[in-house]
Amino acid sequence: SGWSVDKLTQSFCVGICIAFFPIPGSHTVVMLASKWLFRLNFPVLFFSTSFNNPWTMIPFFSLDYVFGHWFVHEFLGWNPGWVISLEKIFGSGHICLWSFFIGGNILGIFFALICYPFVYFMFKKFVTRFQLGEMK
């Protein structure tokens, strides 16, 4: 069911991954598609996806970019000529879009995996208490 410990934990962690998804404005569409495709628990998925909201958007996307830039340009040593930059698209800015996309996806997966054991433990306690009737 959608309220099992495993399903609640999966819903939360997929939402965390979506929160780091590096395409502004796409989080709702990705969240709804994930809910439908993986039959996730919507309230938990919505809650964790909402960590990236208008107040936290700049820190999330900044972290996506800074990590991605480090990973692509310094760790991997890539500086290919095919790098898409905002300068090529809008005529200004030297932000590498590949750094942004790669950084956001890697961080999303990383934080989802890091959260999993802690969130599993939390939901296990919650579901156990709820089943015992302690949540009134």
Side-chain angles (χ1 to χ4, degrees), residues 31-107:
M31 176 187 63
L32 292 173
S34 298
K35 191 265 183 262
W36 180 73
L37 284 171
F38 305 118
R39 293 188 165 91
L40 299 173
N41 181 285
F42 183 72
V44 173
L45 180 65
F46 180 81
F47 174 76
S48 59
T49 300
S50 297
F51 286 151
N52 187 342
N53 59 59
W55 295 286
T56 62
M57 189 179 304
I58 291 174
F60 266 83
F61 291 146
S62 296
L63 184 60
D64 287 353
Y65 181 76
V66 168
F67 175 77
H69 189 273
W70 171 82
F71 185 78
V72 170
H73 297 285
E74 294 179 32
F75 182 73
L76 296 178
W78 291 350
N79 201 9
W82 50 267
V83 168
I84 302 168
S85 72
L86 290 179
E87 184 176 27
K88 292 178 184 174
I89 296 172
F90 299 112
S92 66
H94 295 286
I95 296 175
C96 172
L97 293 179
W98 286 108
S99 298
F100 183 61
F101 294 136
I102 291 171
N105 285 307
I106 290 173
L107 286 176

Side-chain angles (χ1 to χ4, degrees), residues 111-126:
F111 283 113
L113 292 173
I114 293 296
C115 285
Y116 194 91
F118 301 105
V119 174
Y120 182 86
F121 176 75
M122 179 189 72
F123 281 126
K124 184 124 176 108
K125 286 187 84 166
F126 173 77

